[in-house]
Amino acid sequence: MRRFLLVVLMAALLPMAMNAAVIWSGEQVIDWNNGKFLQLEAAKFENMKAGDQLVVKFQFTGGTQWPQVSLAKGDWSGNLKGIANTAIAEGMTEVSYIMLTPALTELKAAGLIVAGIGFTLTAIETIEGDGGDYSHAVWVGATTIGNWSGYQQLPATAFADATEGQLMRIKFKNLGAGAYLALRNPVDGWPTLSDSEDTYIAGKYQQYTITAAMLAELQANGMVVSGVNFTVTSVELWNADEIKTLALSVPVTDNWVFTDGAPSFTIHAENPYAEAVTANAFIEVFTDKQEPVCTVGKSVSVPANGSQDIVLTLEDTPQAGIYHATATVNDDLARGFYFAVNPTQIVSATDKQNDFDSYWAAAKQQLAAVPVEATMTEIPARSGSKRKVYLVEMQSIADGLSGDPVIIRGYYAEPTDGQKHPVLIHYQGYDSEYRPGGDSATPWCFDTRWDSDEQAQYAEFVLSNRGQSVNNRPASGRDDGIDRDFTNIYGDWFAYQFGNKDAYYYRGAYMDCLRAIDFLASRPTSDMQNLFAEGQSQGGAFTVAAAALSNYKFKAIAPAITFMGDFPDYFQIASWPASVAFNCQKEIVAAGGTMSDADLYAFLSYYDTKNLATSITCPYITSVGLQDNVCPPHTNLAPYNNVQTAEADKQVVFNAELQHSTNGQWNTTFMDFFKKYITDTTGISEISNQKSGMNNGETYNLAGQRVSDTQLPRGLFIRNGKKFIVK
């Protein structure tokens, strides 16, 4: 059985009392099984105001399974509105209730009965409130809602006076990473309250219009406030005509990326009323980990039927970082948004383990021992005269140190002219849009029938890493026309073999990225001196991993909205995949293993793009959505800020208002970036090693540096005025 404490806080947690008065004292055994209670007449409460506290003091006696305090109306017609029975326990000496208008009205009309069981009543006191406006509240408190842990239940009596069309405001504070509000109907299974939606929250409150269906559920069952990472402070009911709401907006200034001087923001307020309205405007600034930074504000008068721009400038420039701003006017949310201060100076310190390099060297050695054994099946319906399209299937490393190779797949567009062409690899995002028997997302496949001359200049490959995309679809879920079904055997990829370095999903998936390069290097039309890669989200992480680990040097890469970056910070900013990781941690411990938080982050450090990026020197362009709550900008920038690329060869595109997406010009942007680095390899001959095809003379690299003939690595060189490649 559950007992919920509603409109109740321990006195020690409440504001300091302004005035206290004892309205009854003595000793009264309370035992509703034996008809023992205390009744107080209505006159005792005539001076109380909404927001005042009613304190019930007692000596705990126990002797029953469910000791509790019950406050009923003086006419025995039920509990006071909005107040449920309060469970008590040994050591408790009092409970305190903030009296709200519905319950206070009943007190003043009928008086109070203190009932319950398991205690001896010693005093009833009233304490003057803090002067706040409690006239609309049906519940007040401070209940912490964790990551789907903790909740606040309100009884049906709290909504006895509610009406259809009223506005219900859920007020909150202490918003944490991924703060998310969910209203539930407290019946079996706790379904979503009718006509409400689970939602990310910002500002001071979230507002709902009470529909007929919602009202029926509220008055029958009450409501549960649940969700992720916030403290719920009150639930209020307002009539729409009581609220004079200004129309508010916050336009983007300086792309919300500030590199010179203190950030400044403008709140635009429009007043639709026939009289002036005072606007109390505030900007509250927090780090992206929701640590408070500062608050600036001012009050202005917005003229009748007019508008006003309210400019608020931070007093100081915060240190390099990503920040969350909440702009409010009269407690109404104008906008919640993230902005950046000197973002390319954010430090994401590496946390490589001592065996980081040897770990990946061993994985690559395992991959080298697995033959590619690629098979190519042409897709005629997608092939054109300039390029043919194939489904490629090939072998990659096993899911562990031994076992059968894993078959991975991808779509390949190969030029038909027999010449060498620049190579472009597309790595793909987390395959979360597809669920067998549910949501569907068809893997993208080339269609080269209408290739432009520019498109035809590339040998392109779009890789499906193990268990994802093409490897996660029946024939009916693909557009390649190949009548075979492929199945994901991994479940949730991020969770697969979590904690096991030798078999973790991303060990194999990163090797898949290299295997795609091996395949392309085997094709006669691939100019591996012009190797490029791009990808978004998980595909961005794969792009970083490929550039960091490949034996082939990339000319340029374009990871965007990049996943898998700076896990220690990531998990303080966003709720996913932190929730997956911590659930895996709990499962490991429950099974008798050990995994501290330090162990968890040490494990993830092998796959962290901020650590892999330190091996990258090629040109690098990236795209960041400043409002991204999936792969937050802080983590997007971790690999970008850690690469060893020359600053002249780095570029970041900030999209002020985008979440987990890139802008419509991103493809053109990164392709134009790539074109700057394409090398003309016309007329270049190839030799398989440095001993064959060599004549007398001196050998130089493309930087004009003399190179020893006996120590030539793979790459492009010049000898006797001719270019050649060592493969």
Side-chain angles (χ1 to χ4, degrees):
M1 180 183 295
R2 292 191 179 108
R3 291 289 187 267
F4 299 100
L5 177 60
L6 298 175
V7 200
V8 179
L9 291 172
M10 294 303 296
L13 301 178
L14 294 167
M16 291 297 292
M18 297 295 295
N19 249 322
V22 177
I23 62 173
W24 178 89
S25 64
E27 288 190 3
Q28 173 64 54
V29 174
I30 304 297
D31 184 350
W32 54 17
N33 289 336
N34 293 297
K36 296 180 179 181
F37 57 89
L38 175 72
Q39 186 164 12
L40 299 174
E41 64 273 19
K44 294 281 188 182
F45 307 99
E46 61 183 2
N47 294 323
M48 287 192 75
K49 304 180 302 298
D52 289 353
Q53 299 170 42
L54 182 70
V55 182
V56 178
K57 295 188 174 183
F58 53 83
Q59 295 174 350
F60 180 81
T61 58
T64 182
Q65 186 177 7
W66 301 111
Q68 56 193 286
V69 176
S70 176
L71 300 188
K73 291 180 284 186
D75 59 6
W76 290 104
S77 60
N79 278 18
L80 292 176
K81 284 181 181 175
I83 299 181
N85 295 347
T86 305
I88 58 175
E90 189 169 0
M92 293 179 65
T93 60
E94 63 181 57
V95 290
S96 183
Y97 304 79
I98 297 177
M99 301 307 295
L100 305 177
T101 299
L104 188 57
T105 300
E106 293 180 331
L107 273 183
K108 292 185 175 184
L112 172 69
I113 292 171
V114 181
I117 192 169
F119 64 98
T120 297
L121 191 63
T122 58
I124 304 292
E125 297 180 359
T126 61
I127 299 175
E128 186 177 351
D130 60 7
D133 180 9
Y134 292 89
S135 59
H136 294 86
V138 297
W139 177 87
V140 172
T143 301
T144 299
I145 310 293
N147 192 353
W148 297 106
S149 63
Y151 56 87
Q152 180 60 58
Q153 185 164 354
L154 281 69
T157 57
F159 303 98
D161 297 329
T163 59
E164 183 181 351
Q166 278 188 310
L167 305 176
M168 179 169 64
R169 288 184 172 180
I170 315 297
K171 290 193 171 181
F172 38 69
K173 63 180 181 179
N174 301 335
L175 302 186
Y180 197 69
L181 173 64
L183 302 184
R184 297 288 184 256
N185 182 355
V187 295
D188 290 346
W190 282 13
T192 299
L193 186 69
S194 285
D195 299 318
S196 72
E197 291 185 358
D198 297 358
T199 183
Y200 289 102
I201 53 176
K204 305 292 186 182
Y205 66 86
Q206 186 72 19
Q207 184 165 282
Y208 302 85
T209 299
I210 297 178
T211 64
M214 184 187 293
L215 181 63
E217 292 179 3
L218 290 172
Q219 293 186 332
N221 308 309
M223 178 179 74
V224 170
V225 180
S226 181
V228 175
N229 294 349
F230 65 96
T231 298
V232 59
T233 57
S234 70
V235 177
E236 300 179 357
L237 300 179
W238 291 75
N239 296 321
D241 58 5
E242 295 179 289
I243 300 174
K244 288 189 175 180
T245 302
L246 299 171
L248 305 171
S249 60
V250 180
V252 175
T253 54
D254 296 320
N255 204 36
W256 282 341
V257 178
F258 301 94
T259 58
D260 184 19
S264 184
F265 308 98
T266 298
I267 302 175
H268 180 72
E270 295 187 2
N271 178 10
Y273 305 105
E275 64 273 2
V277 174
T278 298
N280 299 307
F282 292 92
I283 296 278
E284 294 180 273
V285 177
F286 304 83
T287 68
D288 54 0
K289 299 175 185 177
Q290 294 302 318
E291 301 157 334
V293 176
C294 65
T295 300
V296 293
K298 64 173 63 171
S299 292
V300 301
S301 179
V302 184
N305 298 310
S307 63
Q308 182 76 40
D309 282 338
I310 309 167
V311 179
L312 297 170
T313 303
L314 305 191
E315 294 181 359
D316 300 301
T317 302
Q319 65 183 12
I322 306 297
Y323 295 89
H324 186 255
T326 300
T328 58
V329 175
N330 300 339
D331 277 353
D332 294 330
L333 179 65
R335 193 168 193 177
F337 59 93
Y338 288 90
F339 66 94
V341 175
N342 295 315
T344 58
Q345 297 175 25
I346 297 173
V347 175
S348 293
T350 59
D351 55 3
K352 289 184 179 181
Q353 305 302 299
N354 291 335
D355 64 342
F356 182 89
D357 292 333
S358 61
Y359 172 78
W360 285 115
K364 290 170 62 176
Q365 185 176 8
Q366 182 181 352
L367 179 68
V370 177
V372 178
E373 292 191 3
T375 61
M376 297 169 56
T377 305
E378 186 181 350
I379 306 173
R382 297 274 175 162
S383 296
S385 60
K386 297 174 183 177
R387 292 193 300 175
K388 289 187 176 181
V389 178
Y390 301 88
L391 171 70
V392 177
E393 300 175 85
M394 54 191 163
Q395 296 189 139
S396 186
I397 64 170
D399 294 311
L401 299 180
S402 61
D404 294 334
V406 170
I407 302 299
I408 60 173
R409 299 171 176 86
Y411 293 126
Y412 173 47
E414 183 172 74
T416 58
D417 60 7
Q419 303 299 310
K420 295 285 188 183
H421 291 265
V423 174
L424 174 57
I425 305 177
H426 305 275
Y427 294 114
Q428 297 186 83
Y430 210 76
D431 194 20
S432 57
E433 293 183 357
Y434 175 76
R435 294 290 181 273
D439 296 337
S440 63
T442 303
W444 179 73
C445 181
F446 299 104
D447 190 336
T448 63
R449 289 172 292 178
W450 298 280
D451 270 356
S452 66
D453 289 340
E454 182 175 352
Q455 289 172 309
Q457 291 308 304
Y458 293 89
E460 289 187 82
F461 191 86
V462 55
L463 174 67
S464 292
N465 294 69
R466 58 189 61 204
Q468 296 193 46
S469 195
V470 173
N471 305 302
N472 185 26
R473 299 293 191 283
S476 60
R478 307 191 310 271
D479 284 339
D480 53 33
I482 296 170
D483 189 19
R484 283 186 289 139
D485 297 336
F486 308 127
T487 304
N488 168 35
I489 64 169
Y490 298 91
D492 184 348
W493 304 286
F494 193 84
Y496 182 77
Q497 290 290 328
F498 192 92
N500 182 350
K501 288 195 305 179
D502 294 332
Y504 184 49
Y505 177 81
Y506 281 99
R507 179 181 186 269
Y510 284 1
M511 290 301 99
D512 296 345
C513 297
L514 303 191
R515 181 49 26 117
I517 300 170
D518 293 336
F519 165 75
L520 288 162
S522 73
R523 301 304 302 161
T525 59
S526 295
D527 176 3
M528 298 304 289
Q529 297 304 307
N530 283 305
L531 176 61
F532 302 89
E534 69 86 22
Q536 297 179 27
S537 192
Q538 177 187 251
F542 287 156
T543 301
V544 171
L549 299 173
S550 175
N551 293 330
Y552 291 87
K553 184 174 177 59
F554 281 82
K555 270 304 187 63
I557 59 173
I561 52 175
T562 306
F563 185 37
M564 303 285 285
D566 201 354
F567 287 109
D569 282 352
Y570 192 171
F571 287 4
Q572 295 181 63
I573 298 170
S575 58
W576 183 91
S579 56
V580 178
F582 291 133
N583 282 338
C584 290
Q585 179 187 37
K586 291 176 183 177
E587 290 173 1
I588 289 170
V589 173
T594 59
M595 178 175 272
S596 65
D597 286 352
D599 294 335
L600 181 147
Y601 290 119
F603 166 70
L604 287 171
S605 69
Y606 292 92
Y607 319 100
D608 197 321
T609 56
K610 73 175 181 182
N611 295 327
L612 291 160
T614 60
S615 300
I616 295 175
T617 59
C618 69
Y620 187 124
I621 185 172
T622 190
S623 177
V624 174
L626 279 178
Q627 311 310 313
D628 193 342
N629 53 23
V630 177
C631 298
H634 183 120
T635 67
N636 276 218
L637 290 164
Y640 178 86
N641 288 340
N642 281 7
V643 295
Q644 302 303 300
T645 305
E647 287 300 320
D649 293 324
K650 293 173 65 179
Q651 183 179 338
V652 56
V653 176
F654 289 101
N655 298 291
E657 297 183 280
L658 292 186
Q659 297 184 17
H660 194 55
S661 62
T662 57
N663 65 49
Q665 298 301 311
W666 173 240
N667 190 76
T668 299
T669 300
F670 74 70
M671 289 301 294
D672 287 345
F673 182 82
F674 287 172
K675 289 172 189 175
K676 296 190 299 182
Y677 298 98
I678 292 178
T679 302
D680 182 7
T681 58
T682 304
I684 296 177
S685 60
E686 292 187 2
I687 59 175
S688 60
N689 59 61
Q690 58 264 41
K691 294 181 180 179
S692 61
M694 304 288 290
N695 298 314
N696 293 331
E698 296 181 339
T699 302
Y700 296 87
N701 61 24
L702 294 188
Q705 299 166 322
R706 177 77 166 83
V707 181
S708 169
D709 289 346
T710 60
Q711 299 177 359
L712 286 181
R714 284 177 173 155
L716 181 63
F717 300 92
I718 300 175
R719 185 180 179 89
N720 296 333
K722 295 183 178 180
K723 297 177 184 177
F724 67 91
I725 292 174
V726 175
K727 297 178 66 177

